[in-house]
Structure formats: C-alpha cells, structure tokens
Amino acid sequence: MFKNKWMNVLFVVYILGIAIFSYLLIHQQQLENYESQIKDDLLRLTILVSEMLDKDNIEYIYDSFFSWYETRDELLYEEVSSSTEMVKTLLSINVIRSLYPDYAGWIYIYTQSEEYERNRSDTVNLIVDTYEDFTNDIVVDFGYDYDASEFPYMLQSMRERRPMVEPAIGYDAEFDVYLISAFAPIYKNAKYIGHIGVDMFVDDYNKNLLELSMNSILMAISISFIGGVVIPFLVFKFFGFIEDVEARKKRKVKRAIRKARKENK
C-alpha cells in the first residue's frame, strides 16, 4: 500500500512537470511570435500611413510650423489650426484609426524646430496631433513641445530618417498610458516634411496576451494528458502485448515438448 501511494505521488508530479514545462515552452514561443507579429504589423501600418496621407497638406502644415515658431504669431496659429489642410489631415487620420482600431490608438506628426535640432534636444514639436478628451471633442495641438526623452526610438527614427518600432512597451507619464509605438519619416518627393508616429495602446495588447496564455494552458494540458496518460498507456499495452507473445511462444514450445515426449514413449 505504501509503495502504491508513492507511485501515485510520483505519477502526479510527473504529470504536473510535463504540464508546467509544456506551458513555459509553448507560451514563450507563442509570446515571441505574437510580439514579433505585432511589431511587424505596427511598423508596416506606420509606413503605410506615411504614404497614405496627403503630402501637399502635410507640407503646408510643416512649412507653416517653422514660420509660426519663429514669430509665435497667434493669427497664423489659428489660421493653420483651422485650415483646410489641417482638417483634411485630421479626417484622414481618424479614418485610419477607425480602420485599424486594434493598432492605431494615436496617430500624430512631429518634427523639431531648428533650435531643438541644432542643440540635439530631446524635445520634439507635434504639428498634427489629435486625441479625444473627456467630452469626446477633438483637441488639436499645433507646435506643441513634447519631451521625448523617455522615448529614444521616437528621437532616433527622426534623426536617422528611417522607420523604427519600439522593442518593448513604454510608459507615457504625461498621458498615464502604457503603449508601444512605431515611427516613419514622411517625404514629398525628396523633401522631408515630418515624422509620423502610431501608438498602440497596451489594453488591447494585454487582452491578446491573456488569450495567448489561455491557449498555452489548454495546449499544455493536452500535451500532459497525451504524454502522461495516453503514451504510457500505449507503451504499457505494447510491452504487455510483447510479453503475451513471448508467453504464448513459451507455452507453444512446452506443448510441443510434451507432445514429443508422449510420442517417444
């Protein structure tokens, strides 16, 4: 009885070991594949957005920013903020957000003033930025100074003029959100006219991770059942069958020997 008890304990430990090992292995692989897919899709979407937006409208906003930044003329600010070019750009951005709600949380265009660029500052200027406030009204910040020191890839992408995606989730203290972002330059012909940024909110990311974990658990349970119950059972049956065959052979030999002895008498 004592021996059977320990055999049961060892069997349970064996099953749990298979389940835990399988879960860790499957979850890690699925997580890497999922994160890689998310980053690739987000980067492709960001590059696509940089090509989809009307370049004439963005060029007007980009050039107007530098004119406004030198003078801080309030009339020019109001003129650009309410211009047809700005409205069309914002409408286009909101259409893209509605088409890709799981990826495009915030979409914005930024650059750097000549002063910030000359001083290698970590501050960027948002020239097209739209988000919803608590009343669901669209708020536009033109030329807004934004400290990007906690987002090095946002700065690196702009300085190197190439598309980039962040390697991990970041925290935006100003807006109190966790997100992952991708960035891409915008060109009209050969002229650089700003940088696009697309933020994916971590809420959707975590929801998908939870689903991923549940799938990993189900797969681990299936593997532990197959590896811990089905396979040992089949192995036991196989060797039992082999033993039965050998036993039948021995019985057959014994019968033959007995038969031979009787015939010799």
Side-chain angles (χ1 to χ4, degrees):
M1 182 177 178
F2 181 76
K3 182 179 179 181
N4 289 339
K5 179 181 178 181
W6 276 105
M7 287 295 292
N8 292 335
V9 171
L10 289 175
F11 180 72
V12 171
V13 171
Y14 170 70
I15 295 295
L16 288 175
I18 292 178
I20 293 172
F21 177 77
S22 300
Y23 170 77
L24 293 175
L25 190 64
I26 294 170
H27 184 67
Q28 181 62 31
Q29 186 61 48
Q30 287 192 338
L31 183 60
E32 290 177 0
N33 292 341
Y34 173 72
E35 289 184 342
S36 177
Q37 187 65 48
I38 286 292
K39 293 173 187 176
D40 291 345
D41 289 346
L42 183 59
L43 185 59
R44 279 195 292 268
L45 174 62
T46 305
I47 295 172
L48 178 64
V49 173
S50 72
E51 295 296 330
M52 287 173 61
L53 295 177
D54 189 289
K55 305 297 179 63
D56 291 332
N57 292 336
I58 296 175
E59 182 182 31
Y60 165 78
I61 297 169
Y62 179 82
D63 291 341
S64 297
F65 161 73
F66 288 98
S67 299
W68 168 81
Y69 196 84
E70 294 298 324
T71 62
R72 301 300 175 106
D73 186 287
E74 292 186 5
L75 291 178
L76 180 58
Y77 179 91
E78 293 297 330
E79 179 183 332
V80 177
S81 297
S82 59
S83 64
T84 301
E85 290 82 358
M86 178 68 78
V87 171
K88 287 182 177 180
T89 302
L90 294 176
L91 289 174
S92 298
I93 286 175
N94 284 333
V95 168
I96 294 170
R97 290 175 63 192
S98 65
L99 291 174
Y100 304 96
D102 292 337
Y103 289 89
W106 285 334
I107 300 178
Y108 45 90
I109 301 173
Y110 66 99
T111 186
Q112 269 191 326
S113 68
E114 293 178 355
E115 178 187 355
Y116 289 152
E117 185 176 7
R118 184 171 56 251
N119 296 330
R120 298 285 292 182
S121 172
D122 289 341
T123 300
V124 300
N125 301 101
L126 299 175
I127 59 175
V128 178
D129 185 28
T130 176
Y131 58 91
E132 294 181 359
D133 65 7
F134 295 110
T135 62
N136 292 322
D137 292 328
I138 297 299
V139 179
V140 179
D141 285 322
F142 170 68
Y144 175 72
D145 286 349
Y146 180 74
D147 181 8
S149 58
E150 296 183 6
F151 303 94
Y153 286 87
M154 184 180 189
L155 294 167
Q156 185 178 349
S157 177
M158 179 184 62
R159 289 166 179 164
E160 296 180 5
R161 300 289 198 266
R162 65 186 180 95
M164 298 187 73
V165 61
E166 292 177 327
I169 296 169
Y171 176 68
D172 190 324
E174 183 170 353
F175 295 100
D176 189 29
V177 291
Y178 288 90
L179 45 81
I180 184 169
S181 307
F183 314 97
I186 307 172
Y187 287 95
K188 180 185 176 183
N189 299 324
K191 179 184 176 182
Y192 174 76
I193 55 174
H195 232 75
I196 192 82
V198 179
D199 296 343
M200 177 183 175
F201 294 137
V202 78
D203 291 342
D204 297 326
Y205 184 84
N206 281 338
K207 180 183 68 176
N208 292 332
L209 285 186
L210 180 60
E211 294 177 0
L212 199 67
S213 296
M214 295 303 297
N215 290 336
S216 299
I217 290 173
L218 293 175
M219 291 180 67
I221 292 174
S222 300
I223 290 174
S224 63
F225 176 75
I226 294 172
V229 178
V230 177
I231 292 179
F233 176 77
L234 294 176
V235 170
F236 175 77
K237 283 293 185 181
F238 173 76
F239 283 105
F241 173 76
I242 297 296
E243 289 178 359
D244 289 342
V245 171
E246 293 296 328
R248 284 196 295 270
K249 286 182 179 179
K250 289 179 181 179
R251 286 195 296 269
K252 187 175 181 180
V253 170
K254 287 180 180 180
R255 284 195 298 268
I257 292 173
R258 284 197 298 269
K259 182 177 181 182
R261 285 177 179 175
K262 287 180 181 179
E263 291 176 350
N264 291 332
K265 287 182 179 180

